[in-house]
Amino acid sequence: MSVNQQAHTGPPYGQPQPGYQGYQQPAYGGQPLPGVPQSQYGAYNGPMPGYQQPVPPQGSLRAPPTSGAPPPASGASLPSGHLPYSQFGHGDVQNGIPASTAPMQRPPASQPFLPGSAPTPVSQTSTFQQYGHPPASVQQLSNHMAGMTIGSTTASAPPPAGLGYGPPTSVPPVSGSFSATGSGLYTPYTASQGPPPTSVSQGLPLAQPPYPGQPISTQRLPTQVPGFAPPPSSAGIGPSSYPPTTGAPRPPTMPGPPLPGQTVAGPPVSQPNHVSSPPPPSTMSGPHPGPPMSGLHGPPPPPTHPPQPGYQMQQNGSFGQVRGPQPNYGGAYPGTPNYGSQPGPPPPPKRLDPDSIPSPIQVIEDDRSNRGSEPFVTGVRGQVPPLVTTNFLVKDQGNASPRYIRCTSYNIPCTSDMAKQSQVPLAAVIKPLATLPPEETLPYLVDHGESGPVRCNRCKAYMCPFMQFIEGGRRFQCCFCSCVTEVPPHYFQHLDHTGKRVDFYDRPELSLGSYEFLATVDYCKNNKFPSPPAFIFMIDVSYNAMKSGLVRLICEELKSLLDYLPREGNMEESAIRVGFVTYNKVLHFYNVKSSLAQPQMMVVSDVADMFVPLLDGFLVNVNESRTVIASLLDQIPEMFADTRETETVFAPVIQAGLEALKAAECAGKLFIFHTSLPVAEAPGKLKNRDDKKLINTDKEKTLFQPQTSFYNNLAKDCVAQGCCVDLFLFPNQYLDVATLGVVTYQTGGSIYKYAYFQLETDQDRFLNDLRRDVQKEVGFDAVMRVRTSTGIRATDFFGAFYMSNTTDVEMAGLDCDKTITVEFKHDDKLSEDSGALLQCALLYTSCAGQRRLRIHNLSLNCCTQLADLYRNCETDTLINYLAKYAYRGVLSSPVKTVRDALINQCAQILACYRKNCASPSSAGQLILPECMKLLPVYLNCVLKSDVLQPGPEVTTDDRAYIRQLVTSMDVAETNVFFYPRLLPLTKADVDSDSLPAAIRNSEERLSKGDIYLLENGLNIFVWVGVNVQQGLIQNLFGVSSFSQISNALSTLPVLENPFSKKVRSIVDMLQVQRSRYMKLIIVKQEDKLEMLFKHFLVEDKSLSGGASYVDFLCHMHKEIRQLLS
């Protein structure tokens, strides 16, 4: 393999964030961040934060190659004392361990945290007590960490037991699992570079984090990092002369028992990322595939299986070519070599220090401190917005706010060849009706009277800030297709000396990126203005629904909820009419006309030919029929209280709602509350086809496909009428979400799922979801089209919608939480001067029945240099697109194929950067573009998600549910869903409103003496360590000891003390930020639910076979090197 190609990577850790013009990034290795403990993670390639380099780098500094942003051009402008990292100018800083350091060791996937071990991550002081006993630890760690030591004598590495890619179940990771090679993961810089950045922690005795300036003599290694570059000798990892890098004696190699705490490294095998609710106990109790839990205290029993083939060390020390079967990694990493089949005493396993690789927490914190204080002004073309995790204010000055549109790159290649070479997908994630914070202005509504909006004659684009007025203002040239159109007389205005219209600032469509037009009758169906929409509540009254108390709960809630139907800003009451249906094997319609004394029920038992038995009195105004509706809602739970009917129908329920809306000639939404697989004789009847044996076979894709085309046809009819379906599911067993969800998905609706629904624990979550769903802003009968300037066009769409042609995205309903993701491809060359433009136009009916057009415009830069592309990408948006692309792929391809394609595409993106943008360096270094340095960690989270790599307890329904949910998530939601937020509650300042600083998602970051909160947008876990002080337990849970804390709590008790108030306010703050009410789950350390919690510690190895972050990074590096050679 050619050793000199660069791995694709980007600006290193200390570089200014690409594309954030003018904002200087606190460098990862440059200026220390205030408030971040030094050493949070040093170098991926740069000196540790705050670690000054003793010698100025040699060689001329170059301006940042592609990765850096304009800011400091090379290292030159850094404040003194923070010299650039290396001879490679800023842009290429290698994210590697500098060569001169001790190679890093890789943690076993779940290695326990040992005290003191690594530089502490932000705000973590005490978090690091390890889970097992510390004693052993220091040594191990040291040899784990420091010991990346190169000095081993033999070539062989122990076959690591729980290899990152190997079957997790088989054995707990033995300490180093990656054995020797992992070592040099990030390879270092050459010796000339001064103390190695990250590796510092390794060379010091583990106990203290390194201090800047501390000499590290032990670390001068040869430039080649063992591991990633072939070391000189054929011995394992380089000449054995290197002293073990740490001071600690080298413990014997440990193929034996994993470190304490290691055992249960991965997430539980199962429960989904959405944990429906803990499944009935039985499921959790069986023996776990992984090592026994006991291991949390004291060393766990030695692994019982034979060691797995792991990464075998090749003779030259680099990852070899042996492709061993990868038993567990779901096959995804086809070629992982096996280490360790040679004889000879195994050297201590090596470990790459997790603090030396890019940390999502650090990137998020840096962006907040750099970009959270200034408003984001949208007047400049191609600006990369702050991250979704940063709170910032947007000032619209001609481009749509990032709350409405985010792109994978804000500087797109001028030619299709360049786009193909980089493999960076060009996509926009559009959320047309996004909710804005109160301090930002809603889009203005422009009324042009009967003539309607001004548009281009040829391409029909709407008037926007980029249109060019010519001939004194009498005509305008379209910015999308260049056609010249006459300005209508009523719209004429003179131009000023710069060629701008003098009314520029008075017209939203000339000065803002987002605005609305009032649509004329030509934009309405059948050329007549629409009626206000209707909401129909359709309640399953079969035995399951009655017995669980669900029907009574829904009826009680609706009595008050109907007063909160959505309404236009200034209206006294909502214009939406409501109707009610109950059903089991037959349907019951209710006449709730205001003139009746009592509601009347009409039964339709011929479900094969559905019709609505009444017109007048079915859809009514809530205020006029209030007493009749209240009487009905009181009677429904009584009427069906003694039912013995267990079977239900489903398709006829949707047909009934559709027919009712057709008869009323309006659009609307059906709220269906359903409990079981519809097996009763009727159209759309389903059978139980759940089959876990199909997992990992070519037929697995059928589990995600609907079992009949009946629902696709029904969905098409619903879209034509503007009938949106929201589905609330309460299953106790398989329900076939893949099929039942088809209509919801294609009509733009939402699915909510409450498995094993129990009144006491789930009612808060269900009622909060129902309230928000009924009250949120929604547009009906919507059609969206995305226009682009010449050179690119929209070619692919992802989301909850229906398409009858290749350009129009049709949605019966579109709410404020839904996104549509659009991919663009080149159909011609673009020019750097004119850039590229997108215009998203959404035609919809508001909740008052007004037809409107919402327009969002965005201008992007175009580039002829790959470096400019890589400097202006947005990884969070890229991951959002890749997840949706993969989740759609499972419908037609085996899951393994989908996973391999994702890994391959990302390796190509990074290899192209390495080859074309980073300065030359040894192939042993992994170099990541600054704005993509989190691509590997986030991609690994997508690969380990339940859709692509389910553990044995993830149900088929959970996977189908998550697949549909993610497809219409926005960027902020996918960000926290794939990389959950983990907060140390015990570090929260009870006197401030702020959240405690987040920590990385790994078990080794948890301390037994603390309480943590983890949220992923669907669940909130509160994890309580076994050694938490009694006072804290009393203050938070109102009980006197750890053993008395109940797992059954679904809300925290309301106690009058500062800690309880602070934690509850944090939970409330997080609930408000998410579109669904998160289920609260209390997890006690060493309790059976802990397996579920660990599923979300995504940097660790998962029990379903997912790699740890460190292992995956090594794997990506190997893939990149293969592409480069």
Side-chain angles (χ1 to χ4, degrees), residues 11 24 87 151 159 224 234 240 337 341 385 425 494 497 507 521 632 686 752 807 820 963 971 1043 1117 1122:
Q24 187 149 1
Q87 53 301 30
Q224 270 177 322
S234 58
S240 50
S341 31
H494 295 286
H497 63 286
R507 290 194 177 271
V521 76
L632 171 67
L686 301 179
Y752 297 85
T807 53
I820 293 94
R963 196 190 76 75
V971 181
S1043 58
H1117 188 189
Q1122 280 177 350

Side-chain angles (χ1 to χ4, degrees), residues 401-444:
S401 159
R403 301 189 206 289
Y404 294 124
I405 306 183
R406 274 187 179 264
C407 295
T408 52
S409 178
Y410 287 80
N411 198 334
I412 62 181
C414 285
T415 64
S416 62
D417 290 348
M418 191 173 153
K420 284 193 189 97
Q421 188 185 353
S422 73
Q423 288 283 316
V424 175
L426 304 175
V429 179
I430 306 174
K431 195 175 183 183
L433 299 179
T435 311
L436 299 185
E439 52 277 18
E440 292 178 20
T441 320
L442 293 172
Y444 289 99

Side-chain angles (χ1 to χ4, degrees), residues 1081-1095:
I1081 300 171
I1082 308 292
V1083 178
K1084 293 154 71 174
Q1085 185 180 348
E1086 297 172 17
D1087 185 77
K1088 61 178 188 286
L1089 272 176
E1090 197 178 30
M1091 299 304 280
L1092 175 55
F1093 171 74
K1094 287 180 183 173
H1095 184 71

Side-chain angles (χ1 to χ4, degrees), residues 288-299:
H288 262 295
M293 305 249 332
S294 58
L296 286 174
H297 278 354

Side-chain angles (χ1 to χ4, degrees), residues 2-42:
S2 102
V3 184
N4 290 324
Q5 276 135 321
Q6 322 204 180
H8 192 159
T9 331
Y13 253 117
Q15 229 160 275
Q17 270 269 63
Y20 290 159
Q21 281 110 349
Y23 285 105
Q24 187 149 1
Q25 278 286 89
Y28 267 98
Q31 313 78 282
L33 278 183
V36 176
Q38 304 275 8
S39 104
Q40 161 55 347
Y41 47 102

Side-chain angles (χ1 to χ4, degrees), residues 43 70 145 211 218 415 451 571 589 641 692 853 913 967 1018 1075:
M145 265 164 92
Y211 292 101
T218 39
T415 64
S451 59
M571 292 174 57
F589 292 80
K692 282 275 179 81
L853 283 153
Y913 173 80
T967 307
L1018 296 180
S1075 59

